[in-house]
Amino acid sequence: MIVGLPTMADRSLAGTAFGAAAGATFGLYLLLGEAVFGDVPARPMAFHSMTGAAVGFVAVDLVSQGRLDLPSGGRQWLLVACVVVFPTVVAIPMLFSALGHLGAGPTAIITTTEPVFTVVFGALFLAEPIRVVQILGGGLILSAAVLAQRGIPTMPPTLRVREP
């Protein structure tokens, strides 16, 4: 609902598979991060993670294309700087800090609010319209994140079926 109502273009098997693989990979990343680096402070962990990612991307670019493509103008470098500062230098240490304080499960639940912020920022910075269905979807995402953090049981004890 947060991205709008589905259309025929949304029925891509490859797109659905990549989306599911991204979610599964991120979940595994959080679990491994908690298990292996649980006692490492957030900033050093983020630094090593980002450095490893940068080296990996450079290696993949060199192996797959035989060259390293770099931005060619001031506007492209500005975009790179924005991507480096906001989603990397700011967000990744916050993610690892949440992981250290909350654990993998609660951190993953809270990160499900990302689409809500993406839609809001798209409206603020790119003048993208927000539709009623997106507001409803965003409300469901935020409600689910809040309920999951509060530990609401799935069935109240008074409603459980007693066995004879």
Side-chain angles (χ1 to χ4, degrees):
M1 289 175 66
I2 192 74
V3 295
L5 296 174
T7 65
M8 289 304 288
D10 297 323
R11 296 183 184 192
S12 165
L13 183 59
T16 302
F18 283 128
T25 303
F26 184 64
L28 184 60
Y29 180 75
L30 290 177
L31 286 173
L32 289 174
E34 180 183 17
V36 176
F37 301 107
D39 58 344
V40 176
R43 283 185 299 190
M45 190 166 143
F47 173 79
H48 292 294
S49 176
M50 289 183 281
T51 302
V55 169
F57 283 125
V58 167
V60 166
D61 208 23
L62 290 174
V63 169
S64 66
Q65 297 185 42
R67 67 182 189 283
L68 181 62
D69 291 325
L70 296 172
S72 60
R75 183 171 180 191
Q76 290 180 358
W77 279 108
L78 177 63
L79 292 172
V80 168
C82 288
V83 167
V84 166
V85 171
F86 296 108
T88 306
V89 174
V90 174
I92 298 297
M94 286 182 177
L95 174 70
F96 290 136
S97 184
L99 189 60
H101 288 288
L102 302 173
T107 299
I109 290 168
I110 292 171
T111 62
T112 64
T113 62
E114 184 179 335
V116 176
F117 292 107
T118 302
V119 168
V120 170
F121 292 148
L124 290 174
F125 300 118
L126 303 174
E128 293 179 354
I130 297 180
R131 295 176 182 81
V132 173
V133 71
Q134 291 173 307
I135 293 170
L136 294 172
L140 289 172
I141 289 171
L142 295 175
S143 298
V146 168
L147 290 174
Q149 292 303 308
R150 296 190 68 193
I152 305 290
T154 54
M155 184 179 294
T158 57
L159 296 179
R160 290 192 182 136
V161 176
R162 295 180 191 214
E163 295 189 28

